[in-house]
């Protein structure tokens, strides 16, 4: 396309040069007999300083302030302002261009409005616009400044937006599918599949999501909830270095510390505590516990009764029917009993 435009421009310029050369020649011949006069009453568009005015077909002038060439007005114009360092050129509908020492403005395939492409540089800011229909109405705009990149009024395949204000920041994306951040230090939002939230330090850390199926994290000093299959919950730190945990999945587990406090309903109910040892069970059927320090114990009723104790040993069982035992200390005690028909000792 650029080659076609260049060939068209070259043809127009060659034609303009031929026309200008012809009229210059005609002027030099016809004016030889009148070299003493400085005015021409009937100049037919020609002047002695070689300017031409056959407007709207052709107009050309060149002075110490500016130079201007117009061919088939308003289709093409080339203008230069020497004093203000400004340039302008256009060949409609191919391009429209303005420039100065600080600014540039190029429109491609344009009648000024609409323009298929517009590229601008103005006071250090640059922008690109696609299909500009009127000011601030375009299909795609990308503007670059000292702050960053802004994309506005965009109905394109992807939409990005940034608003910087010297990195107080902002963003907006519809890519697949919609994200939004903000900063100092940070707000965020996502609907991708499926939803997410945000916030961070100034709101002292949070999050939230439903991506199958719900979780939430929070901080300063920790939390976490998840319902996935099915539910677990957690808290870490502070207050005697809190740690808690929960799970309900079949069926319930918990864990709590300084130092431990366990619970389980699984089948069916255990509760374990520590430093060191305390227990409870109801599974079939009953169990107990102890120490810290009642020098260890236990108890059960699973058909039918037993009891253990320690430091330095005991054991009772009534099962069918009864035996009893003791080990160690005092001359290395060992005892034993049994009543099952009928009685034994040791």
């Amino acid at each position: 396309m650029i080659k076609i435009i260049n060939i068209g421009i070259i043809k127009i310029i060659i034609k303009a040069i031929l026309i200008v050369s012809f009229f210059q020649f005609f002027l030099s011949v016809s004016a030889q007999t009148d070299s003493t006069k400085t005015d021409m009453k009937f100049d037919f568009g020609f002047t002695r300083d070689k300017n031409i005015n056959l407007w709207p077909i052709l107009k050309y002038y060149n002075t110490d302030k500016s130079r201007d060439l117009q061919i088939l007005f308003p289709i093409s114009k080339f203008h230069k302002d020497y004093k203000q360092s400004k340039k302008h050129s256009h060949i409609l509908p191919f391009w429209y261009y303005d420039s100065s020492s600080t600014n540039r403005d190029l429109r491609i395939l344009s009648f000024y409005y609409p323009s298929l492409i517009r590229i601008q540089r103005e006071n250090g800011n640059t922008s690109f616009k696609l299909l500009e229909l009127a000011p601030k109405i375009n299909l795609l705009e990308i503007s670059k400044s000292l702050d960053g990149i802004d994309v506005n009024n965009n109905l394109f395949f992807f939409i990005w937006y940034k608003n910087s204000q010297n990195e107080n920041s902002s963003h907006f994306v519809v890519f697949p599918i919609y994200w939004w951040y903000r900063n100092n230090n940070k707000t965020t939002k996502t609907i991708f599949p499926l939803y997410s939230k945000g916030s961070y330090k100034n709101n002292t850390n949070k999050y939230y999501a439903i991506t199958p199926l719900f979780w939430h994290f929070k901080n300063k000093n920790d939390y976490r909830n998840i319902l996935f299959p099915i539910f677990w919950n957690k808290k870490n730190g502070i207050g005697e270095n809190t740690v808690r945990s929960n799970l309900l999945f079949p069926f319930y587990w918990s864990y709590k510390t300084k130092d431990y406090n366990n619970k389980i309903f699984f089948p069916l109910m255990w509760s374990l505590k520590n430093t060191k040892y305390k227990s409870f069970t109801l599974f079939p059927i009953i169990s107990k516990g102890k120490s810290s320090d009642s020098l260890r114990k236990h108890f059960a009723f699973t058909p039918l009764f037993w009891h253990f104790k320690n430091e330095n040993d005991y054991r009772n069982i009534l099962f069918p029917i009864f035996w009893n035992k003791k080990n160690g200390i005092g001359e290395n005690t060992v005892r034993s009993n049994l009543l099952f028909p009928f009685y034994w000792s040791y």
Side-chain angles (χ1 to χ4, degrees):
M1 185 175 114
I2 292 168
K3 287 184 178 178
I4 292 167
I5 292 169
N6 287 342
I7 291 165
I9 292 165
I10 289 164
K11 285 181 180 178
I12 290 166
I13 290 169
I14 289 168
K15 286 178 184 177
I17 289 167
L18 290 172
I19 291 166
V20 169
S21 299
F22 170 75
F23 283 116
Q24 281 180 327
F25 173 77
F26 177 77
L27 177 65
S28 63
V29 170
S30 62
Q32 279 177 0
T33 59
D34 192 22
S35 60
T36 60
K37 295 182 181 180
T38 58
D39 297 324
M40 297 181 67
K41 291 183 181 178
F42 303 100
D43 61 10
F44 301 102
F46 308 104
T47 63
R48 285 180 173 271
D49 54 4
K50 300 184 181 179
N51 295 334
I52 302 170
N53 189 352
L54 295 172
W55 190 89
I57 296 168
L58 176 68
K59 182 178 179 181
Y60 172 80
Y61 71 81
N62 188 0
T63 70
D64 58 350
K65 293 182 181 178
S66 64
R67 183 179 67 213
D68 189 83
L69 171 64
Q70 297 177 38
I71 302 168
L72 298 176
F73 178 86
I75 292 192
S76 68
K77 180 176 179 177
F78 303 86
H79 181 83
K80 184 170 183 178
D81 188 320
Y82 299 122
K83 296 279 186 184
Q84 298 184 50
S85 299
K86 289 183 178 178
K87 290 181 184 177
H88 169 84
S89 68
H90 70 256
I91 295 179
L92 301 178
F94 302 110
W95 88 80
Y96 195 102
Y97 177 72
D98 285 296
S99 73
S100 68
S101 57
T102 56
N103 300 340
R104 300 281 184 278
D105 190 352
L106 171 64
R107 301 164 193 257
I108 298 171
L109 296 181
S110 173
F111 287 98
Y112 200 82
Y113 289 111
S115 301
L116 179 63
I117 294 171
R118 185 178 181 188
I119 302 166
Q120 267 181 301
R121 189 184 76 192
E122 188 172 4
N123 299 323
N125 300 330
T126 59
S127 71
F128 170 87
K129 294 169 186 159
L130 180 66
L131 194 55
E132 186 178 38
L133 302 176
K136 305 295 182 186
I137 301 172
N138 49 65
L139 185 64
L140 173 69
E141 179 178 341
I142 302 173
S143 301
K144 182 177 181 181
S145 66
L146 300 174
D147 304 316
I149 296 177
D150 303 313
V151 180
N152 304 309
N153 306 320
N154 189 317
L155 303 173
F156 214 43
F157 304 113
F158 313 104
I159 299 176
W160 312 84
Y161 169 81
K162 182 178 178 182
N163 168 25
S164 180
Q165 302 296 318
N166 291 323
E167 299 308 321
N168 186 21
S169 222
S170 223
H171 223 113
F172 168 81
V173 182
V174 179
F175 162 53
I177 289 166
Y178 182 74
W179 326 331
W180 151 263
Y181 345 115
R182 167 129 205 86
N183 233 320
N184 277 345
N185 177 12
K186 193 160 189 177
T187 300
T188 193
K189 187 178 278 185
T190 316
I191 298 172
F192 162 54
L194 276 161
Y195 198 67
S196 150
K197 212 175 171 183
S199 222
Y200 288 176
K201 299 260 167 117
N202 289 343
N203 219 337
T204 316
N205 301 16
K206 285 184 181 176
Y207 220 86
Y208 172 89
I210 300 174
T211 311
L213 229 44
F214 178 79
W215 33 86
H216 161 266
F217 322 104
K218 184 184 185 302
N219 224 314
K220 190 99 182 182
N221 300 287
D222 311 316
Y223 233 107
R224 176 176 304 257
N225 307 296
I226 291 164
L227 175 75
F228 162 54
I230 280 178
F231 186 76
W232 43 98
N233 187 35
K234 191 172 186 172
K235 174 172 183 16
N236 289 9
I238 231 161
E240 289 294 331
N241 308 313
T242 310
V243 173
R244 290 180 203 133
S245 199
N246 299 286
L247 168 70
L248 174 70
F249 158 62
F251 289 109
Y252 185 76
W253 153 261
S254 199
Y255 163 80
K256 176 188 177 177
T257 204
K258 183 83 179 177
D259 288 295
Y260 309 103
N261 169 16
N262 315 315
K263 288 179 174 77
I264 295 165
F265 311 140
F266 160 53
L268 276 155
M269 187 71 206
W270 325 335
S271 174
L272 322 163
K273 298 181 182 180
N274 235 311
T275 306
K276 289 190 174 171
Y277 172 54
K278 200 163 200 174
S279 202
F280 161 77
T281 313
L282 180 76
F283 162 54
I285 287 173
I286 301 176
S287 153
K288 210 169 174 188
K290 204 151 182 168
S291 219
S292 281
D293 210 1
S294 299
L295 298 175
R296 312 196 69 81
K297 286 185 180 177
H298 216 279
F299 164 87
F301 175 83
T302 313
L304 235 47
F305 177 79
W306 34 85
H307 163 266
F308 323 103
K309 182 183 184 308
N310 223 319
E311 192 91 356
N312 295 288
D313 310 315
Y314 232 107
R315 176 176 306 258
N316 306 294
I317 293 166
L318 176 75
F319 163 51
I321 283 183
F322 186 77
W323 46 97
N324 187 34
K325 191 169 187 176
K326 170 165 185 19
N327 287 11
I329 230 162
E331 292 294 330
N332 306 315
T333 309
V334 173
R335 291 182 199 132
S336 196
N337 297 285
L338 170 68
L339 173 69
F340 159 60
F342 290 109
Y343 185 77
W344 155 261
S345 196
Y346 167 81

